[in-house]
Amino acid sequence: MSLVLMALVALQADTVRLDASSWLQQIEQSAPGVQAARLRSDAASQRAAQARAWRNPSLSFQVDNVGAEREVTNIDGWRGVEGQLVMTVPLPVGGDRGAAIRQGDASARVAEANAEMMRGDAIVRAVAAVANARRDTELLQQARSELATLERLADALDAQADAGRASLGDAGRARLAVSVARERVAALAGAQRASLEELALMGGYAPGTAVVVGGPMCRVAEPEAPSTSAVPERALAEARTETARASLD
């Protein structure tokens, strides 16, 4: 597979040049949604770890006879105040702690599966963006070459018509073909610009940044069939099921 792409016909001074591996790494780090999904996965992992921790004890203080020290204790002032200091240590019973741990672990697996799916989708879109930009660039170059040929033909027919060696109708049809070709070039230029902007945004760059993704020709090996437990969609469904069971418990 070749990921060689001339991002712009005339490269700008601030052109970003990446090879295929660096491009995919950039996508994994900066593609919209991938970083957010990774942070949600990290947060879910921290909540799962927190579910294993015992709850913090609470400390409360109560005063019973403020303003009535003499009447209650027969001692004036703060020395006659009565009260109590209570420390409470919550201990979950009935399987609540185990269910909370299971729920936290399952929620972490849900977030991890979502992050993996988001990463895979981003890579697929990134490769498609490179292919689309390359296609639009090549189509634009072909259209410009065809336009240049038609313009030379139209000029020649105009000259021949002026000399009486060609009909005005042929010259007019040639000019019409030139107008159609110019419209096609304009449309393809717009499509190319849109695909190049998509390429820059996919990599997390500012709009208008020129991006060149290059890489040598290579053969893609046949991927090994993943185990069913490694499929993100299945892992996501199983984790959601476990989350629901733990929540019910």
Side-chain angles (χ1 to χ4, degrees):
M1 179 178 63
S2 173
L3 293 180
V4 179
L5 170 66
M6 294 302 295
L8 294 175
V9 176
L11 294 180
Q12 301 177 2
D14 58 346
T15 298
V16 177
R17 295 176 176 84
L18 300 170
D19 58 27
S21 298
S22 299
W23 167 248
L24 294 181
Q25 292 176 0
Q26 180 74 11
I27 292 301
E28 292 182 350
Q29 296 174 1
S30 304
V34 174
Q35 187 175 12
R38 188 182 300 112
L39 291 175
R40 285 193 292 268
S41 178
D42 292 342
S45 298
Q46 294 299 323
R47 287 193 294 269
Q50 183 63 31
R52 287 173 165 75
W54 296 98
R55 293 182 59 185
N56 294 329
S58 60
L59 185 65
S60 61
F61 178 70
Q62 180 179 347
V63 178
D64 298 327
N65 60 328
V66 175
E69 297 87 348
R70 168 62 61 176
E71 291 81 354
V72 175
T73 63
N74 202 29
I75 301 175
D76 294 325
W78 65 270
R79 295 180 181 277
V81 173
E82 286 188 337
Q84 55 184 348
L85 186 65
V86 180
M87 176 178 289
T88 303
V89 180
L91 297 175
V93 297
D96 283 352
R97 182 171 183 271
I101 292 174
R102 285 169 44 216
Q103 185 181 31
D105 291 343
S107 297
R109 292 198 299 272
V110 168
E112 181 181 359
N114 277 324
E116 185 65 19
M117 291 172 61
M118 184 70 71
R119 186 188 70 87
D121 290 343
I123 291 177
V124 171
R125 293 195 305 271
V127 174
V130 172
N132 291 338
R134 178 181 180 183
R135 175 203 62 198
D136 293 340
T137 298
E138 292 182 353
L139 287 176
L140 178 59
Q141 292 174 349
Q142 293 175 4
R144 285 173 173 168
S145 177
E146 293 173 359
L147 174 60
T149 301
L150 287 173
E151 287 176 339
R152 289 194 297 269
L153 176 60
D155 291 340
L157 287 174
D158 285 341
Q160 291 177 7
D162 292 340
R165 298 171 56 189
S167 66
L168 294 176
D170 290 340
R173 283 190 291 271
R175 286 299 171 188
L176 178 61
V178 169
S179 298
V180 174
R182 285 174 177 169
E183 291 180 359
R184 184 167 183 269
V185 167
L188 290 174
Q192 185 219 29
R193 190 61 196 175
S195 61
L196 292 178
E197 290 293 340
E198 178 68 17
L199 191 66
L201 293 177
M202 282 294 302
Y205 298 102
T209 303
V211 179
V212 175
V213 179
M217 296 291 293
C218 61
R219 293 183 178 274
V220 178
E222 186 69 22
E224 298 181 359
S227 63
T228 55
S229 60
V231 178
E233 289 81 0
R234 177 176 179 133
L236 177 62
E238 292 176 347
R240 283 177 173 170
T241 300
E242 179 60 22
T243 301
R245 290 173 177 168
S247 179
L248 180 62
D249 291 344

